[in-house]
Amino acid sequence: MLKKNVGGIDRVLRIVVGLALLAGFFLNADATYRWAYLIGIVPLATGLLSSCPLYSILGLSTCPMKKA
């Protein structure tokens, strides 16, 4: 299915940033561009799934290397 390419620290940061942005969506109910906080769904989803489509396209990975 999806190849894991998001490592530990990167994963935690994505989840924290995603949750913070979604919290902003709910806490700033009268903000003009409130919908912009919904971009937090992207880092939250990539953090929870440990897979980033952009990393796959660019050939990047922050996962630890497997020892042979």
Side-chain angles (χ1 to χ4, degrees):
M1 191 166 147
L2 295 174
K3 182 180 176 188
K4 290 189 178 190
N5 58 9
V6 177
I9 295 173
D10 189 11
R11 185 175 184 210
V12 170
L13 287 175
R14 287 171 184 257
I15 292 171
V16 169
V17 168
L19 288 174
L21 287 170
L22 290 177
F25 175 78
F26 293 108
L27 295 174
N28 293 326
D30 56 346
T32 304
Y33 292 104
R34 179 179 177 216
W35 54 269
Y37 286 112
L38 293 177
I39 195 70
I41 293 171
V42 175
L44 181 61
T46 58
L48 292 174
L49 296 174
S50 297
S51 179
C52 177
L54 185 60
Y55 275 12
S56 296
I57 292 170
L58 297 175
L60 298 173
S61 177
T62 57
C63 288
M65 295 181 69
K66 295 179 181 175
K67 294 180 181 179

Short mmCIF file of all heavy atoms in Angstrom, two decimals:
data_model
loop_
_atom_site.label_atom_id
_atom_site.label_comp_id
_atom_site.label_asym_id
_atom_site.label_seq_id
_atom_site.Cartn_x
_atom_site.Cartn_y
_atom_site.Cartn_z
N MET A 1 0.84 -1.18 0.00
CA MET A 1 0.00 0.00 0.00
C MET A 1 0.88 1.24 0.00
O MET A 1 1.52 1.53 -0.98
CB MET A 1 -0.94 -0.03 1.20
CG MET A 1 -1.99 1.02 1.12
SD MET A 1 -3.28 0.67 2.33
CE MET A 1 -3.73 2.31 2.71
N LEU A 2 0.95 1.97 1.09
CA LEU A 2 1.78 3.15 1.19
C LEU A 2 3.09 2.80 1.87
O LEU A 2 3.11 2.19 2.94
CB LEU A 2 1.07 4.25 1.98
CG LEU A 2 -0.19 4.83 1.37
CD1 LEU A 2 -0.85 5.79 2.34
CD2 LEU A 2 0.11 5.53 0.07
N LYS A 3 4.21 3.20 1.25
CA LYS A 3 5.52 2.93 1.83
C LYS A 3 5.78 3.92 2.96
O LYS A 3 5.55 5.12 2.82
CB LYS A 3 6.58 3.09 0.75
CG LYS A 3 7.96 2.79 1.22
CD LYS A 3 8.95 2.97 0.09
CE LYS A 3 10.35 2.77 0.61
NZ LYS A 3 11.35 3.11 -0.39
N LYS A 4 6.26 3.41 4.09
CA LYS A 4 6.57 4.29 5.22
C LYS A 4 7.84 5.07 4.91
O LYS A 4 8.87 4.49 4.59
CB LYS A 4 6.75 3.48 6.50
CG LYS A 4 5.46 2.89 6.99
CD LYS A 4 5.61 2.28 8.36
CE LYS A 4 4.25 1.77 8.82
NZ LYS A 4 4.26 1.37 10.20
N ASN A 5 7.74 6.40 4.96
CA ASN A 5 8.90 7.24 4.69
C ASN A 5 8.99 8.43 5.65
O ASN A 5 9.72 9.36 5.40
CB ASN A 5 8.89 7.72 3.23
CG ASN A 5 7.64 8.48 2.86
OD1 ASN A 5 6.82 8.81 3.70
ND2 ASN A 5 7.49 8.76 1.58
N VAL A 6 8.23 8.39 6.74
CA VAL A 6 8.26 9.45 7.75
C VAL A 6 8.76 8.85 9.05
O VAL A 6 8.15 7.92 9.60
CB VAL A 6 6.85 10.07 7.94
CG1 VAL A 6 6.88 11.12 9.03
CG2 VAL A 6 6.36 10.68 6.64
N GLY A 7 9.91 9.35 9.53
CA GLY A 7 10.54 8.82 10.74
C GLY A 7 9.96 9.39 12.02
O GLY A 7 8.99 10.15 12.01
N GLY A 8 10.56 9.03 13.14
CA GLY A 8 10.06 9.34 14.47
C GLY A 8 9.84 10.82 14.78
O GLY A 8 8.73 11.24 15.09
N ILE A 9 10.90 11.62 14.73
CA ILE A 9 10.79 13.04 15.09
C ILE A 9 9.90 13.76 14.08
O ILE A 9 9.04 14.57 14.46
CB ILE A 9 12.18 13.70 15.16
CG1 ILE A 9 12.97 13.09 16.31
CG2 ILE A 9 12.06 15.21 15.34
CD1 ILE A 9 14.41 13.54 16.37
N ASP A 10 10.09 13.46 12.81
CA ASP A 10 9.28 14.06 11.75
C ASP A 10 7.80 13.73 11.96
O ASP A 10 6.93 14.58 11.83
CB ASP A 10 9.75 13.54 10.40
CG ASP A 10 9.14 14.25 9.21
OD1 ASP A 10 8.51 15.30 9.41
OD2 ASP A 10 9.31 13.76 8.08
N ARG A 11 7.53 12.51 12.34
CA ARG A 11 6.16 12.05 12.57
C ARG A 11 5.52 12.80 13.74
O ARG A 11 4.38 13.27 13.65
CB ARG A 11 6.17 10.55 12.83
CG ARG A 11 4.81 9.96 12.97
CD ARG A 11 4.91 8.45 13.10
NE ARG A 11 3.55 7.91 13.13
CZ ARG A 11 3.21 6.83 13.77
NH1 ARG A 11 4.11 6.11 14.40
NH2 ARG A 11 1.97 6.42 13.77
N VAL A 12 6.23 12.91 14.84
CA VAL A 12 5.71 13.61 16.02
C VAL A 12 5.44 15.08 15.70
O VAL A 12 4.39 15.62 16.07
CB VAL A 12 6.70 13.48 17.21
CG1 VAL A 12 6.30 14.39 18.35
CG2 VAL A 12 6.76 12.04 17.68
N LEU A 13 6.36 15.73 14.99
CA LEU A 13 6.18 17.13 14.64
C LEU A 13 4.97 17.32 13.73
O LEU A 13 4.21 18.27 13.90
CB LEU A 13 7.43 17.68 13.95
CG LEU A 13 8.62 17.92 14.85
CD1 LEU A 13 9.84 18.34 14.03
CD2 LEU A 13 8.30 18.97 15.88
N ARG A 14 4.77 16.42 12.79
CA ARG A 14 3.61 16.51 11.90
C ARG A 14 2.30 16.38 12.68
O ARG A 14 1.34 17.11 12.43
CB ARG A 14 3.66 15.43 10.83
CG ARG A 14 4.71 15.67 9.78
CD ARG A 14 4.86 14.45 8.88
NE ARG A 14 5.92 14.61 7.93
CZ ARG A 14 5.73 14.89 6.65
NH1 ARG A 14 4.51 14.99 6.17
NH2 ARG A 14 6.75 15.04 5.84
N ILE A 15 2.27 15.46 13.62
CA ILE A 15 1.05 15.25 14.42
C ILE A 15 0.77 16.48 15.29
O ILE A 15 -0.36 16.96 15.36
CB ILE A 15 1.16 13.97 15.25
CG1 ILE A 15 1.16 12.74 14.32
CG2 ILE A 15 0.04 13.88 16.27
CD1 ILE A 15 1.47 11.42 15.00
N VAL A 16 1.80 17.02 15.93
CA VAL A 16 1.64 18.19 16.80
C VAL A 16 1.18 19.41 15.99
O VAL A 16 0.24 20.11 16.39
CB VAL A 16 2.95 18.49 17.56
CG1 VAL A 16 2.89 19.84 18.25
CG2 VAL A 16 3.23 17.39 18.57
N VAL A 17 1.81 19.64 14.85
CA VAL A 17 1.43 20.79 14.02
C VAL A 17 0.01 20.61 13.49
O VAL A 17 -0.79 21.56 13.49
CB VAL A 17 2.44 20.98 12.85
CG1 VAL A 17 1.92 21.95 11.82
CG2 VAL A 17 3.78 21.42 13.39
N GLY A 18 -0.33 19.41 13.05
CA GLY A 18 -1.68 19.15 12.56
C GLY A 18 -2.73 19.38 13.63
O GLY A 18 -3.76 20.02 13.38
N LEU A 19 -2.48 18.88 14.83
CA LEU A 19 -3.43 19.07 15.93
C LEU A 19 -3.54 20.55 16.32
O LEU A 19 -4.63 21.03 16.62
CB LEU A 19 -3.03 18.23 17.14
CG LEU A 19 -3.24 16.72 16.99
CD1 LEU A 19 -2.66 15.99 18.19
CD2 LEU A 19 -4.71 16.39 16.81
N ALA A 20 -2.41 21.27 16.30
CA ALA A 20 -2.43 22.70 16.64
C ALA A 20 -3.25 23.49 15.63
O ALA A 20 -4.04 24.36 16.01
CB ALA A 20 -1.00 23.23 16.71
N LEU A 21 -3.09 23.18 14.35
CA LEU A 21 -3.86 23.89 13.34
C LEU A 21 -5.35 23.56 13.44
O LEU A 21 -6.20 24.46 13.31
CB LEU A 21 -3.34 23.55 11.94
CG LEU A 21 -2.00 24.19 11.59
CD1 LEU A 21 -1.45 23.59 10.30
CD2 LEU A 21 -2.15 25.69 11.46
N LEU A 22 -5.68 22.31 13.69
CA LEU A 22 -7.09 21.96 13.84
C LEU A 22 -7.69 22.58 15.10
O LEU A 22 -8.86 22.97 15.11
CB LEU A 22 -7.26 20.44 13.85
CG LEU A 22 -7.01 19.78 12.50
CD1 LEU A 22 -7.12 18.27 12.62
CD2 LEU A 22 -7.97 20.29 11.45
N ALA A 23 -6.88 22.71 16.16
CA ALA A 23 -7.36 23.38 17.37
C ALA A 23 -7.64 24.85 17.06
O ALA A 23 -8.63 25.41 17.53
CB ALA A 23 -6.32 23.26 18.48
N GLY A 24 -6.79 25.47 16.24
CA GLY A 24 -7.03 26.85 15.83
C GLY A 24 -8.34 27.00 15.07
O GLY A 24 -9.04 28.00 15.20
N PHE A 25 -8.69 26.00 14.30
CA PHE A 25 -9.96 26.03 13.55
C PHE A 25 -11.14 26.12 14.52
O PHE A 25 -12.08 26.87 14.30
CB PHE A 25 -10.08 24.78 12.67
CG PHE A 25 -11.40 24.66 11.97
CD1 PHE A 25 -11.65 25.40 10.84
CD2 PHE A 25 -12.37 23.80 12.43
CE1 PHE A 25 -12.87 25.29 10.17
CE2 PHE A 25 -13.59 23.68 11.78
CZ PHE A 25 -13.84 24.44 10.64
N PHE A 26 -11.09 25.33 15.58
CA PHE A 26 -12.20 25.31 16.53
C PHE A 26 -12.16 26.47 17.52
O PHE A 26 -13.21 26.92 17.99
CB PHE A 26 -12.23 23.97 17.28
CG PHE A 26 -12.57 22.82 16.39
CD1 PHE A 26 -11.61 21.90 16.02
CD2 PHE A 26 -13.85 22.66 15.89
CE1 PHE A 26 -11.92 20.84 15.18
CE2 PHE A 26 -14.18 21.61 15.05
CZ PHE A 26 -13.22 20.70 14.69
N LEU A 27 -10.98 26.97 17.84
CA LEU A 27 -10.86 28.04 18.82
C LEU A 27 -11.09 29.43 18.23
O LEU A 27 -11.45 30.35 18.96
CB LEU A 27 -9.49 27.98 19.51
CG LEU A 27 -9.25 26.73 20.34
CD1 LEU A 27 -7.82 26.71 20.86
CD2 LEU A 27 -10.24 26.63 21.48
N ASN A 28 -10.86 29.60 16.95
CA ASN A 28 -11.06 30.89 16.29
C ASN A 28 -12.30 30.83 15.41
O ASN A 28 -12.23 30.98 14.19
CB ASN A 28 -9.84 31.27 15.45
CG ASN A 28 -8.63 31.54 16.29
OD1 ASN A 28 -8.74 32.05 17.39
ND2 ASN A 28 -7.46 31.20 15.78
N ALA A 29 -13.44 30.67 16.03
CA ALA A 29 -14.69 30.48 15.29
C ALA A 29 -15.09 31.69 14.46
O ALA A 29 -15.76 31.55 13.44
CB ALA A 29 -15.80 30.13 16.27
N ASP A 30 -14.67 32.89 14.84
CA ASP A 30 -15.08 34.08 14.11
C ASP A 30 -13.98 34.65 13.22
O ASP A 30 -14.10 35.77 12.73
CB ASP A 30 -15.58 35.15 15.08
CG ASP A 30 -14.54 35.51 16.12
OD1 ASP A 30 -13.57 34.76 16.27
OD2 ASP A 30 -14.71 36.55 16.79
N ALA A 31 -12.91 33.89 12.98
CA ALA A 31 -11.81 34.35 12.14
C ALA A 31 -12.24 34.41 10.67
O ALA A 31 -13.06 33.63 10.21
CB ALA A 31 -10.60 33.42 12.28
N THR A 32 -11.69 35.37 9.95
CA THR A 32 -12.06 35.57 8.55
C THR A 32 -11.67 34.37 7.69
O THR A 32 -12.46 33.88 6.90
CB THR A 32 -11.36 36.83 7.99
OG1 THR A 32 -11.71 37.93 8.82
CG2 THR A 32 -11.81 37.10 6.58
N TYR A 33 -10.45 33.92 7.82
CA TYR A 33 -9.96 32.79 7.02
C TYR A 33 -9.88 31.52 7.88
O TYR A 33 -8.88 30.80 7.85
CB TYR A 33 -8.60 33.10 6.41
CG TYR A 33 -8.69 34.18 5.36
CD1 TYR A 33 -8.26 35.47 5.63
CD2 TYR A 33 -9.21 33.90 4.11
CE1 TYR A 33 -8.35 36.47 4.68
CE2 TYR A 33 -9.30 34.89 3.14
CZ TYR A 33 -8.87 36.16 3.43
OH TYR A 33 -8.95 37.13 2.47
N ARG A 34 -10.92 31.23 8.58
CA ARG A 34 -10.97 30.08 9.49
C ARG A 34 -10.70 28.78 8.75
O ARG A 34 -10.05 27.88 9.27
CB ARG A 34 -12.34 30.04 10.17
CG ARG A 34 -12.52 28.89 11.11
CD ARG A 34 -13.89 28.93 11.75
NE ARG A 34 -14.06 27.77 12.60
CZ ARG A 34 -15.19 27.14 12.74
NH1 ARG A 34 -16.27 27.58 12.16
NH2 ARG A 34 -15.26 26.10 13.52
N TRP A 35 -11.18 28.67 7.53
CA TRP A 35 -11.03 27.45 6.76
C TRP A 35 -9.56 27.12 6.49
O TRP A 35 -9.22 25.96 6.25
CB TRP A 35 -11.78 27.56 5.43
CG TRP A 35 -11.38 28.78 4.65
CD1 TRP A 35 -11.97 30.01 4.71
CD2 TRP A 35 -10.30 28.91 3.75
NE1 TRP A 35 -11.31 30.90 3.88
CE2 TRP A 35 -10.29 30.24 3.27
CE3 TRP A 35 -9.33 28.03 3.29
CZ2 TRP A 35 -9.34 30.71 2.36
CZ3 TRP A 35 -8.39 28.49 2.38
CH2 TRP A 35 -8.40 29.81 1.93
N ALA A 36 -8.67 28.10 6.54
CA ALA A 36 -7.25 27.86 6.27
C ALA A 36 -6.63 26.93 7.33
O ALA A 36 -5.66 26.23 7.04
CB ALA A 36 -6.49 29.17 6.21
N TYR A 37 -7.19 26.91 8.52
CA TYR A 37 -6.69 26.01 9.57
C TYR A 37 -6.90 24.54 9.19
O TYR A 37 -6.24 23.67 9.73
CB TYR A 37 -7.39 26.28 10.90
CG TYR A 37 -6.95 27.54 11.60
CD1 TYR A 37 -7.80 28.62 11.73
CD2 TYR A 37 -5.67 27.65 12.14
CE1 TYR A 37 -7.42 29.77 12.39
CE2 TYR A 37 -5.27 28.79 12.80
CZ TYR A 37 -6.14 29.86 12.92
OH TYR A 37 -5.74 30.99 13.57
N LEU A 38 -7.80 24.26 8.30
CA LEU A 38 -8.07 22.88 7.91
C LEU A 38 -6.91 22.24 7.16
O LEU A 38 -6.89 21.02 6.98
CB LEU A 38 -9.35 22.80 7.07
CG LEU A 38 -10.63 23.14 7.83
CD1 LEU A 38 -11.82 23.10 6.88
CD2 LEU A 38 -10.85 22.19 9.00
N ILE A 39 -5.92 23.04 6.77
CA ILE A 39 -4.72 22.48 6.15
C ILE A 39 -4.01 21.56 7.14
O ILE A 39 -3.21 20.71 6.74
CB ILE A 39 -3.78 23.60 5.64
CG1 ILE A 39 -2.73 23.05 4.69
CG2 ILE A 39 -3.11 24.32 6.78
CD1 ILE A 39 -3.27 22.61 3.36
N GLY A 40 -4.33 21.69 8.42
CA GLY A 40 -3.75 20.82 9.45
C GLY A 40 -4.11 19.36 9.28
O GLY A 40 -3.46 18.48 9.84
N ILE A 41 -5.12 19.08 8.48
CA ILE A 41 -5.49 17.69 8.21
C ILE A 41 -4.35 16.97 7.48
O ILE A 41 -4.10 15.78 7.73
CB ILE A 41 -6.80 17.63 7.38
CG1 ILE A 41 -7.96 18.15 8.23
CG2 ILE A 41 -7.07 16.23 6.87
CD1 ILE A 41 -9.25 18.34 7.45
N VAL A 42 -3.64 17.68 6.61
CA VAL A 42 -2.58 17.06 5.81
C VAL A 42 -1.42 16.57 6.68
O VAL A 42 -1.06 15.39 6.63
CB VAL A 42 -2.10 18.01 4.69
CG1 VAL A 42 -0.91 17.42 3.95
CG2 VAL A 42 -3.23 18.32 3.74
N PRO A 43 -0.79 17.44 7.50
CA PRO A 43 0.30 16.92 8.33
C PRO A 43 -0.17 15.89 9.35
O PRO A 43 0.55 14.95 9.67
CB PRO A 43 0.89 18.15 9.01
CG PRO A 43 -0.12 19.21 8.88
CD PRO A 43 -0.94 18.89 7.68
N LEU A 44 -1.39 16.05 9.85
CA LEU A 44 -1.91 15.07 10.80
C LEU A 44 -2.06 13.70 10.14
O LEU A 44 -1.62 12.69 10.68
CB LEU A 44 -3.25 15.53 11.37
CG LEU A 44 -3.89 14.61 12.40
CD1 LEU A 44 -3.00 14.45 13.62
CD2 LEU A 44 -5.26 15.14 12.81
N ALA A 45 -2.62 13.67 8.95
CA ALA A 45 -2.80 12.39 8.25
C ALA A 45 -1.47 11.76 7.87
O ALA A 45 -1.27 10.56 8.06
CB ALA A 45 -3.65 12.61 7.00
N THR A 46 -0.53 12.57 7.36
CA THR A 46 0.76 11.99 6.98
C THR A 46 1.53 11.52 8.21
O THR A 46 2.27 10.53 8.13
CB THR A 46 1.61 12.99 6.17
OG1 THR A 46 1.81 14.18 6.93
CG2 THR A 46 0.96 13.31 4.85
N GLY A 47 1.37 12.19 9.33
CA GLY A 47 2.02 11.75 10.56
C GLY A 47 1.43 10.46 11.09
O GLY A 47 2.14 9.56 11.52
N LEU A 48 0.11 10.36 11.06
CA LEU A 48 -0.54 9.15 11.57
C LEU A 48 -0.30 7.93 10.67
O LEU A 48 -0.17 6.81 11.14
CB LEU A 48 -2.04 9.38 11.73
CG LEU A 48 -2.45 10.36 12.83
CD1 LEU A 48 -3.95 10.61 12.79
CD2 LEU A 48 -2.04 9.85 14.20
N LEU A 49 -0.21 8.17 9.37
CA LEU A 49 0.01 7.07 8.42
C LEU A 49 1.49 6.76 8.19
O LEU A 49 1.82 5.76 7.55
CB LEU A 49 -0.65 7.40 7.08
CG LEU A 49 -2.16 7.53 7.08
CD1 LEU A 49 -2.66 8.00 5.72
CD2 LEU A 49 -2.81 6.22 7.47
N SER A 50 2.38 7.62 8.68
CA SER A 50 3.84 7.48 8.49
C SER A 50 4.22 7.44 7.02
O SER A 50 5.20 6.80 6.64
CB SER A 50 4.37 6.24 9.19
OG SER A 50 4.19 6.32 10.56
N SER A 51 3.45 8.08 6.19
CA SER A 51 3.73 8.09 4.76
C SER A 51 3.38 9.46 4.19
O SER A 51 2.29 9.97 4.42
CB SER A 51 2.92 7.01 4.06
OG SER A 51 3.17 7.04 2.68
N CYS A 52 4.33 10.02 3.42
CA CYS A 52 4.12 11.33 2.81
C CYS A 52 4.25 11.19 1.30
O CYS A 52 5.32 10.81 0.80
CB CYS A 52 5.15 12.33 3.34
SG CYS A 52 5.03 13.96 2.59
N PRO A 53 3.18 11.48 0.55
CA PRO A 53 3.26 11.37 -0.90
C PRO A 53 4.34 12.26 -1.53
O PRO A 53 4.98 11.87 -2.49
CB PRO A 53 1.87 11.79 -1.38
CG PRO A 53 0.98 11.60 -0.20
CD PRO A 53 1.83 11.83 1.00
N LEU A 54 4.54 13.46 -1.00
CA LEU A 54 5.56 14.35 -1.53
C LEU A 54 6.95 13.76 -1.33
O LEU A 54 7.80 13.85 -2.22
CB LEU A 54 5.46 15.73 -0.88
CG LEU A 54 6.40 16.79 -1.43
CD1 LEU A 54 6.14 17.03 -2.91
CD2 LEU A 54 6.26 18.08 -0.66
N TYR A 55 7.20 13.16 -0.18
CA TYR A 55 8.48 12.48 0.05
C TYR A 55 8.67 11.36 -0.96
O TYR A 55 9.77 11.14 -1.45
CB TYR A 55 8.53 11.90 1.46
CG TYR A 55 8.97 12.85 2.55
CD1 TYR A 55 9.05 14.22 2.35
CD2 TYR A 55 9.29 12.38 3.81
CE1 TYR A 55 9.45 15.08 3.36
CE2 TYR A 55 9.68 13.23 4.83
CZ TYR A 55 9.76 14.58 4.59
OH TYR A 55 10.16 15.42 5.60
N SER A 56 7.61 10.62 -1.28
CA SER A 56 7.71 9.54 -2.26
C SER A 56 8.09 10.08 -3.63
O SER A 56 8.93 9.50 -4.32
CB SER A 56 6.39 8.78 -2.36
OG SER A 56 6.10 8.14 -1.14
N ILE A 57 7.48 11.18 -4.03
CA ILE A 57 7.76 11.78 -5.34
C ILE A 57 9.21 12.26 -5.41
O ILE A 57 9.90 12.06 -6.42
CB ILE A 57 6.80 12.95 -5.62
CG1 ILE A 57 5.39 12.41 -5.82
CG2 ILE A 57 7.24 13.76 -6.84
CD1 ILE A 57 4.31 13.49 -5.86
N LEU A 58 9.69 12.86 -4.32
CA LEU A 58 11.05 13.40 -4.29
C LEU A 58 12.11 12.35 -3.92
O LEU A 58 13.30 12.63 -3.97
CB LEU A 58 11.12 14.57 -3.30
CG LEU A 58 10.25 15.78 -3.64
CD1 LEU A 58 10.32 16.81 -2.53
CD2 LEU A 58 10.64 16.37 -4.98
N GLY A 59 11.67 11.16 -3.52
CA GLY A 59 12.60 10.10 -3.15
C GLY A 59 13.25 10.31 -1.80
O GLY A 59 14.36 9.85 -1.57
N LEU A 60 12.57 11.00 -0.91
CA LEU A 60 13.10 11.27 0.43
C LEU A 60 12.52 10.29 1.45
O LEU A 60 11.47 9.71 1.24
CB LEU A 60 12.74 12.69 0.86
CG LEU A 60 13.29 13.82 0.01
CD1 LEU A 60 12.72 15.15 0.47
CD2 LEU A 60 14.80 13.84 0.08
N SER A 61 13.23 10.15 2.56
CA SER A 61 12.75 9.34 3.67
C SER A 61 13.45 9.79 4.95
O SER A 61 14.65 10.04 4.94
CB SER A 61 13.03 7.87 3.43
OG SER A 61 12.61 7.10 4.55
N THR A 62 12.69 9.92 6.04
CA THR A 62 13.28 10.25 7.33
C THR A 62 13.25 9.06 8.27
O THR A 62 13.55 9.19 9.45
CB THR A 62 12.55 11.45 7.98
OG1 THR A 62 11.16 11.13 8.12
CG2 THR A 62 12.71 12.70 7.16
N CYS A 63 12.89 7.89 7.74
CA CYS A 63 12.92 6.67 8.54
C CYS A 63 14.37 6.24 8.77
O CYS A 63 15.23 6.44 7.91
CB CYS A 63 12.19 5.54 7.82
SG CYS A 63 10.41 5.75 7.79
N PRO A 64 14.64 5.60 9.91
CA PRO A 64 15.99 5.10 10.14
C PRO A 64 16.34 4.02 9.13
O PRO A 64 15.48 3.25 8.71
CB PRO A 64 15.94 4.55 11.56
CG PRO A 64 14.56 4.68 12.04
CD PRO A 64 13.74 5.35 11.01
N MET A 65 17.60 3.98 8.75
CA MET A 65 18.06 2.98 7.78
C MET A 65 18.14 1.61 8.45
O MET A 65 18.52 1.48 9.60
CB MET A 65 19.41 3.36 7.22
CG MET A 65 19.38 4.63 6.41
SD MET A 65 20.97 5.07 5.74
CE MET A 65 21.17 3.78 4.54
N LYS A 66 17.76 0.59 7.70
CA LYS A 66 17.85 -0.78 8.20
C LYS A 66 19.28 -1.27 8.09
O LYS A 66 19.96 -1.04 7.11
CB LYS A 66 16.92 -1.69 7.39
CG LYS A 66 15.47 -1.36 7.54
CD LYS A 66 14.63 -2.29 6.70
CE LYS A 66 13.17 -1.93 6.85
NZ LYS A 66 12.32 -2.72 5.97
N LYS A 67 19.73 -1.95 9.15
CA LYS A 67 21.08 -2.48 9.15
C LYS A 67 21.08 -3.82 8.40
O LYS A 67 20.21 -4.64 8.58
CB LYS A 67 21.58 -2.68 10.57
CG LYS A 67 21.74 -1.38 11.31
CD LYS A 67 22.24 -1.60 12.71
CE LYS A 67 22.37 -0.27 13.43
NZ LYS A 67 22.83 -0.44 14.80
N ALA A 68 22.10 -4.00 7.61
CA ALA A 68 22.19 -5.23 6.79
C ALA A 68 22.79 -6.37 7.57
O ALA A 68 23.39 -6.31 8.53
CB ALA A 68 23.02 -4.95 5.55
#
